[in-house]
């Protein structure tokens, strides 16, 4: 009994040390660094516009209600605008706002010449029809890229504005010099925001793409054959480290807050790091890229459509 107790106490210490010190072989893809470089380039382009007497790009962000997480995201986006010299408008509407009033607000921004990008922070309260509101945004100002017009352009291989998170992932792959042509890529999660447009981005670049979702029968089997895995589900540790093929690239889009307050992704990071060649951390991976590509889209909208 005494011996068993001793082993139980010692084992976690040994295994934790082993994982951290001995086994980490993957290189980290540093989203903070890549996003900072992108923001710096955007700022230079905006300064050039201003020097030429052109308008700074303008982004309007609509927040409905007081969801704390949404407030944090909106404030991050407003701060990012300041950092790259954009004009920003933060519009806060009551939880009880009607569909008609919200549509009218979007329509007003559609006609505002100082605004090049409009973003409606999701999720919206249940009484509102998000699809109708997102489709009300003029496609030329749809910098979050949720409008069927912009998704359709991506599907037809002629993207202009591109969904921020998958676009950010593609820039991360560029930053490590990774061409995905011919790679076996597995996207886990099939949402409109992450999985589906991610699959289209990879397909556009010539990858062979499998999309897994909650009805997929054997997730481990798909993941273990992939050269590149992109995971966006929202379940901590869903993708087991042991499933990762040696040398594969792992992009973890998931952001989950654990009961202890820590943020974590959807992939078992430590074990996956032993097998992967490259891996993104959470936090500090895809998250900062999503805000930076929103800025990039807003600049592109200003340069392309105004
Ligand atoms: P969502 O709930 O809209 O979609 C989740 C997807 O996961 C669905 O397609 C579902 O079929 C799939 N899924 C659910 N259970 C599964 C399972 N057991 N196996 C395989 N697939 C399963 O979520 P979302 O909005 O796409 O967000 C997903 C995650 O990505 C969340 O953690 C979110 O916070 C994060 N996220 C991060 C960023 C970023 O910038 N890093 C941006 C958007 C979303």
């Amino acid at each position: 009994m005494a011996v068993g107790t001793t082993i139980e106490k010692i084992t976690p210490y040994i295994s934790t040390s082993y994982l951290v010190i001995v086994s980490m072989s993957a290189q980290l893809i540093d989203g903070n660094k890549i996003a900072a470089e992108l923001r710096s380039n955007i700022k230079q382009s905006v300064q050039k516009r201003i020097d030429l007497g052109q308008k700074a790009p303008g982004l309007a962000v609509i927040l409905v209600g007081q969801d704390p997480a949404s407030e944090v995201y909106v404030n991050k986006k407003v701060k990012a605008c300041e950092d790259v010299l954009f004009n920003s408008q933060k519009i806060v509407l009551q939880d009880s706002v009607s569909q008609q009033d919200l549509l009218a607000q979007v329509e007003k921004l559609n006609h505002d010449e100082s605004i090049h990008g409009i973003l409606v922070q999701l999720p919206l309260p249940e009484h509102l029809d998000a699809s109708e509101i997102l489709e009300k945004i003029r496609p030329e100002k749809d910098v979050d890229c949720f409008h069927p017009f912009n998704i359709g352009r991506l599907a037809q291989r002629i993207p202009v504005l591109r969904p921020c998170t998958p676009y950010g992932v593609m820039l991360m792959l560029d930053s490590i010099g990774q061409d995905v042509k011919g790679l076996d890529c597995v996207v886990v999660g099939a949402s409109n925001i992450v999985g589906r447009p991610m699959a289209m981005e990879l397909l556009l670049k010539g990858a062979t793409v499998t999309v897994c979702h909650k009805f997929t029968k054997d997730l481990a089997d798909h993941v273990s054959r992939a050269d590149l895995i992109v995971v966006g589900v929202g379940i901590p540790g869903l993708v087991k480290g042991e499933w990762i093929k040696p040398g594969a690239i792992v992009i973890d889009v998931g952001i989950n807050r654990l009961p202890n307050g820590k943020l974590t992704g959807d992939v078992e990071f430590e074990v996956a790091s032993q097998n992967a060649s490259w891996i993104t951390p959470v936090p500090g991976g895809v998250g900062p890229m999503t805000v930076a590509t929103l800025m990039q889209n807003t600049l592109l909208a200003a340069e392309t459509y105004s």
Side-chain angles (χ1 to χ4, degrees), residues 165 188-191 194 213-214 232-235 238 253-256 286-287 290:
T165 301
V188 187
S191 70
V194 182
H213 44 75
K214 62 184 169 191
V233 171
I235 301 178
L238 173 74
V253 181
I255 303 177
N256 309 289
V286 179
T290 298

Side-chain angles (χ1 to χ4, degrees), residues 165 169 186-196 198 210-216 219-220 223 229-240 243 250-257 264-268 280 282 286:
T165 301
V169 171
V186 168
V187 177
V188 187
S191 70
N192 287 349
I193 301 174
V194 182
R196 280 165 203 263
M198 188 71 247
T210 302
V211 182
C212 299
H213 44 75
K214 62 184 169 191
F215 302 122
T216 297
L219 185 60
V223 170
I229 302 112
V230 183
V231 189
V233 171
I235 301 178
L238 173 74
V239 170
K240 305 297 170 215
W243 298 349
V250 177
I251 309 284
D252 193 348
V253 181
I255 303 177
N256 309 289
R257 194 167 291 280
T264 188
D266 291 345
V267 178
E268 273 186 354
T280 59
V282 179
V286 179

Side-chain angles (χ1 to χ4, degrees), residues 64-218:
V64 180
Q66 287 154 346
D67 175 58
S70 292
E71 266 185 29
V72 169
Y73 288 133
V74 163
N75 290 340
K76 265 192 189 168
K77 290 165 189 172
V78 170
K79 166 81 173 57
C81 283
E82 285 166 15
D83 290 348
V84 296
L85 311 175
F86 284 6
N87 293 319
S88 68
Q89 263 188 51
K90 177 178 162 185
I91 298 158
V92 183
L93 302 173
Q94 298 281 331
D95 242 337
S96 56
V97 67
S98 69
Q99 182 83 3
Q100 287 319 309
D101 286 353
L102 183 48
L103 288 170
Q105 180 64 67
V106 170
E107 188 60 2
K108 195 170 151 210
L109 294 167
N110 278 341
H111 294 288
D112 183 337
E113 287 188 0
S114 70
I115 293 299
H116 305 90
I118 303 169
L119 182 153
V120 178
Q121 184 66 40
L122 299 178
L124 289 172
E126 285 207 343
H127 69 279
L128 297 170
D129 175 354
S131 298
E132 189 189 17
I133 287 155
L134 295 178
E135 283 190 41
K136 187 75 176 175
I137 297 173
R138 261 179 62 191
E140 297 89 338
K141 297 191 179 192
D142 169 42
V143 287
D144 240 352
C145 202
F146 294 152
H147 196 290
F149 177 87
N150 286 314
I151 292 291
R153 289 196 68 109
L154 176 59
Q156 296 196 340
R157 298 182 271 181
I158 44 169
V160 180
L161 298 174
R162 294 158 64 179
C164 297
T165 301
Y167 181 22
V169 171
M170 297 313 285
L171 294 181
M172 292 178 110
L173 293 170
D174 285 350
S175 80
I176 59 167
Q178 184 62 56
D179 182 1
V180 300
K181 191 182 287 175
L183 292 191
D184 287 325
C185 300
V186 168
V187 177
V188 187
S191 70
N192 287 349
I193 301 174
V194 182
R196 280 165 203 263
M198 188 71 247
M200 287 196 280
E201 286 280 0
L202 292 168
L203 191 57
L204 184 61
K205 290 284 183 185
T208 301
V209 186
T210 302
V211 182
C212 299
H213 44 75
K214 62 184 169 191
F215 302 122
T216 297
K217 278 187 269 179
D218 190 346

Side-chain angles (χ1 to χ4, degrees), residues 25-45:
S25 65
Q27 296 188 67
L28 277 188
I29 309 179
D30 184 345
N32 282 325
K33 186 160 166 258
I34 305 162
E37 278 168 18
L38 181 57
R39 286 198 307 270
S40 162
N41 292 340
I42 295 168
K43 187 174 174 179
Q44 281 176 32
S45 301

